[in-house]
Amino acid sequence: MPVIEIASKQVHVNDEGFMTEYEEWSEEIARVLAQQIEVDLTEEHWKIIRFLREDFKTEGETATSRRVQTVGGVPIKEQFVLFPKKPAKKMAYVAGLPKPKGCV
Amino acid sequence: MINETPAIVPKFGSEDSGRKLAIICSKGNLDMAYPGLILGNAALGEGIETHLFFTFWGFDMIIKSRANNLQFSPSGNTALHIPGTDMHIPQTVAPAMTGMATSMLKKQLAALDIPNVPDFLEQIVASGGHLWACRLSADMNKVDEHELRDDVEGIISASDFIEMTEGAQLLFI
């Protein structure tokens, strides 16, 4: 697994660039990750990112778009506005989590 | 030197790839409604323009009074086994088991947080998907647009659909 430098920190990522160590993530790192994929973070984005981080802690896997809607309370339509085209993967990337495994 | 730029950034395809997917949903059994919904939803989550065309028995998926009451029958399905075993469900009794099999399948789907058919279609539309109804099926079923989901964009002919999905990858289910 590659180790790269983000926001002056050494972090472990997989071959695609998704972070692999939950504890290495910080909000500062998230800002850089978001910038890399051309997402300007607003409070709405942070609401999703914080939900994903908390949910991962209890569930052990990354929430799907559907779960971000049903449990996290952010409608799917809004997710597509905040993280265009590929919301589930982009949200996971910025939150420093693996891509969601669920099909729905 | 401090490098603020990650060396590895996932390719999320920021440019429009132009990829299109068209799914023809022709089945109205509960188990056969889901493949199109799951694949369509997955495609939308990948930023792919997605069109679903409902025809023949698949029409039940978009008829408001029927969509939440699709059935799943072991009848004629010899690949259905007694759960956790390799034993077949005898085809002689299978037709009588439709109600039980339907409610079991619905429970299994709900346990995985997979939405029911109307909610799933709502999610697909919220994700930017397009729903189309087949003209011939509407005429055969004697159904007009008021009986269809409001988010069905139109009742169109097969040739309209083919024209609209030029260049698309196509799935027939």
Side-chain angles (χ1 to χ4, degrees):
Chain A
M1 287 295 175
V3 178
I4 60 172
E5 193 168 286
I6 305 173
S8 314
K9 296 272 173 7
Q10 298 289 313
V11 299
H12 293 76
V13 297
N14 69 10
D15 293 339
E16 281 184 276
F18 284 79
M19 290 179 65
T20 56
E21 302 299 322
Y22 184 90
E23 298 301 336
E24 288 179 354
W25 182 90
S26 67
E27 295 200 354
E28 203 186 345
I29 286 173
R31 282 188 202 96
V32 178
L33 296 176
Q35 195 190 341
Q36 287 305 311
I37 59 168
E38 293 166 12
V39 169
D40 292 326
L41 293 179
T42 65
E43 193 43 45
E44 281 73 34
H45 293 88
W46 283 111
K47 186 183 166 192
I48 294 176
I49 294 165
R50 290 187 192 113
F51 166 73
L52 283 171
R53 296 286 303 173
E54 283 304 307
D55 192 65
F56 187 90
K57 236 193 303 186
T58 56
E59 301 298 315
E61 57 181 89
T62 308
T64 60
S65 267
R66 171 137 193 101
R67 189 170 167 86
V68 172
Q69 171 172 279
T70 56
V71 183
V74 181
I76 285 184
K77 209 169 189 167
E78 198 179 322
Q79 296 174 37
F80 271 89
V81 174
L82 296 169
F83 296 91
K85 297 270 185 196
K86 303 190 183 191
K89 286 181 180 170
K90 287 183 176 177
M91 295 186 301
Y93 174 68
V94 176
L97 302 172
K99 285 189 278 194
K101 280 183 283 189
C103 280
V104 179
Chain B
M1 190 183 111
I2 294 169
N3 180 8
E4 288 279 326
T5 305
I8 310 169
V9 179
K11 291 184 180 64
F12 288 124
S14 53
E15 287 158 45
D16 196 355
S17 71
R19 189 172 167 191
K20 259 185 178 186
L21 178 66
I23 304 177
I24 298 176
C25 300
S26 74
K27 301 283 200 299
N29 292 344
L30 182 61
D31 54 323
M32 290 310 290
Y34 276 94
L37 297 172
I38 291 168
L39 291 167
N41 183 62
L44 289 160
E46 290 300 307
I48 295 166
E49 179 183 330
T50 302
H51 297 263
L52 282 81
F53 184 68
F54 298 89
T55 186
F56 275 82
W57 320 120
F59 227 61
D60 276 14
M61 293 169 70
I62 51 168
I63 294 178
K64 281 187 278 196
S65 61
R66 297 181 188 169
N68 204 22
N69 197 25
L70 302 185
Q71 308 278 295
F72 168 52
S73 179
S75 181
N77 181 1
T78 58
L80 189 70
H81 301 276
I82 292 161
T85 76
D86 292 331
M87 285 170 68
H88 289 103
I89 291 179
Q91 285 299 303
T92 46
V93 299
M97 295 171 71
T98 300
M100 191 185 75
T102 300
S103 88
M104 275 181 69
L105 180 57
K106 283 188 171 181
K107 269 186 211 147
Q108 286 172 335
L109 291 164
L112 294 170
D113 192 31
I114 294 175
N116 63 32
V117 171
D119 288 355
F120 214 151
L121 286 168
E122 194 176 317
Q123 174 168 329
I124 283 171
V125 171
S127 303
H130 303 278
L131 311 182
W132 303 99
C134 162
R135 175 83 265 159
L136 179 62
S137 303
D139 294 346
M140 280 173 54
N141 280 300
K142 300 192 184 350
V143 163
D144 70 30
E145 60 188 16
H146 306 294
E147 291 164 80
L148 303 179
R149 299 173 58 89
D150 297 337
D151 46 17
V152 171
E153 293 181 37
I155 302 178
I156 61 173
S157 69
S159 51
D160 288 343
F161 181 72
I162 294 295
E163 193 175 29
M164 170 189 301
T165 54
E166 184 180 347
Q169 293 168 309
L170 198 138
L171 279 173
F172 181 85
I173 295 170

